[in-house]
Structure formats: C-alpha cells, structure tokens
Amino acid sequence: MVLAVQVPSASVQLAGVKVRRLLTRYKSNVSLVFNTNKQDKDVVIKKVGRYYVQGTPDESLGIEQALLSLDFLPDLIKARLGTELSASIFIIVKDISDNSLGSEIDGLATRPDIVLLNKDFIKLKTNEELEMLLIHELTHTAMFNKTLFSNGGYFAPWFNEGLATFIENEPTPYIFKDNESLAKYEIAG
C-alpha cells in the first residue's frame, strides 16, 4: 500500500514521527511518500513494475522509459552483491539543488528505498545517461540493508560509492550502442 501525504515542508519531520508507529507495525506493507510542494499540482505517482515514480507526466515518462530498459538490473545486483532490490522503490523527481551536501547532485538514494532525482539535471540527460544514474542510485538502495562480514554494513563512503560505480559501469557497453555516445558519457561522467 502506498500512502501519499501532502504536508508543508516544515511539518515533514513531525508528520514522520506521528506515522512512524503505523509504519513500524506495517512496514512490509505500507510505504509513505511526502509531497511538500503545493505548487506541484501536476505531479503524479505512477507504478512501473517495482518502482513508484513521482514527478510531472513528462518527467515520469522519461524515467519510465529508462526503467523499462533496466529489466536486467535485479539479476545483476543479485549476482554481484548477493542482495536484492526491494519490492517497492520510490523515485521522486524534485528540486534538490538546495541541499546540505555541499555539491550539486543528479540523484540521491535514501532510506527507506527512495531515490531522489534532481529535476533540473535530469532534463539535460539523455535516456542512456538517465539509465546509468538510475543503476547507480538503485544499487545504493540495494546496499542499505546488506551486511558484510561480522554484521558490518556498507557505511564507508568510498566502499559504498565504489560498489555503486562498479555496478553502474558493468552494463555500459549494452546501454550505449555507439562509441560516440559512450565516449561523451565517459568524458562528461
């Protein structure tokens, strides 16, 4: 079940605290999505396989097309990381330019199984570049609950980013059909 809640941005933390008891009891069956921007009246939530995509119809269409091309990803993550993608993953297109990370970001994976995509940046991406971004961020979501030896997690940033980049780069020859687009991606990152 997906529970979408419209709240002012200042109330997200408080609303999250109030529904935490509900989510703790039903966490395998309930997912919560907050929409904090009242101006986004044309935002839709669309289900694409295991993914819920929240954005405008145009943004959602581009992401949907990229996701449909990534049908191999669950098998790749299972084979390389020994873990699985969650049954429900939320991909939310928002303006995340004003963040506290100190850098401009294309996307950000966060718990529980949410990928935020920067709406300004994804407009500039080709379908292939969007696929690569989604592979990278979705790999992060798969690593959230994975433990290593002695119950250690994937917490070291260099290790976490390294594995996500490894998985992202493995299907590169299959995503970029010609050398020119691959070279542009390799140079621009």
Side-chain angles (χ1 to χ4, degrees):
M1 176 172 78
V2 178
L3 178 60
V5 180
Q6 176 79 37
V7 294
S9 57
S11 303
V12 170
Q13 189 172 11
L14 179 61
V17 169
K18 288 182 178 181
V19 298
R20 189 167 293 138
R21 289 182 208 100
L22 170 73
L23 294 178
T24 301
R25 180 179 292 166
Y26 300 104
K27 68 180 169 185
S28 62
N29 300 323
V30 177
S31 296
L32 180 66
V33 177
F34 288 110
N35 186 4
T36 60
N37 191 345
K38 290 183 180 179
Q39 288 80 25
D40 291 342
K41 293 180 181 174
D42 58 340
V43 168
V44 298
I45 298 175
K46 185 172 184 180
K47 185 161 178 20
V48 181
R50 73 178 67 226
Y51 309 102
Y52 291 88
V53 179
Q54 178 180 326
T56 66
D58 289 341
E59 294 163 345
S60 297
L61 180 62
I63 294 167
E64 178 184 2
Q65 291 170 342
L67 288 170
L68 292 173
S69 300
L70 301 179
D71 57 343
F72 63 86
L73 187 59
D75 293 333
L76 177 63
I77 288 176
K78 177 77 172 168
R80 297 297 183 261
L81 298 178
T83 190
E84 300 194 18
L85 284 173
S86 293
S88 297
I89 300 173
F90 294 89
I91 300 171
I92 303 170
V93 181
K94 302 249 343 144
D95 179 8
I96 56 175
S97 297
D98 183 24
N99 66 67
S100 61
L101 299 175
S103 64
E104 295 180 338
I105 55 174
D106 293 342
L108 177 69
T110 185
R111 295 177 194 260
D113 302 319
I114 295 173
V115 173
L116 301 173
L117 297 178
N118 191 329
K119 66 190 285 176
D120 293 332
F121 287 176
I122 66 165
K123 286 188 254 182
L124 306 173
K125 300 246 179 244
T126 65
N127 190 58
E128 293 86 0
E129 291 168 334
L130 187 53
E131 289 174 27
M132 298 298 284
L133 174 61
L134 286 167
I135 291 169
H136 184 94
E137 299 305 334
L138 292 169
T139 300
H140 283 304
T141 67
M143 291 188 289
F144 283 147
N145 298 317
K146 178 79 174 148
T147 57
L148 295 168
F149 12 83
S150 303
N151 264 350
Y154 288 84
F155 299 124
W158 63 268
F159 190 64
N160 191 305
E161 285 301 321
L163 284 175
T165 301
F166 170 74
I167 298 295
E168 169 190 349
N169 285 317
E170 191 159 329
T172 301
Y174 305 103
I175 291 176
F176 292 95
K177 306 293 188 225
D178 62 87
N179 288 336
E180 183 179 337
S181 60
L182 176 58
K184 285 180 182 176
Y185 176 76
E186 295 286 336
I187 291 170

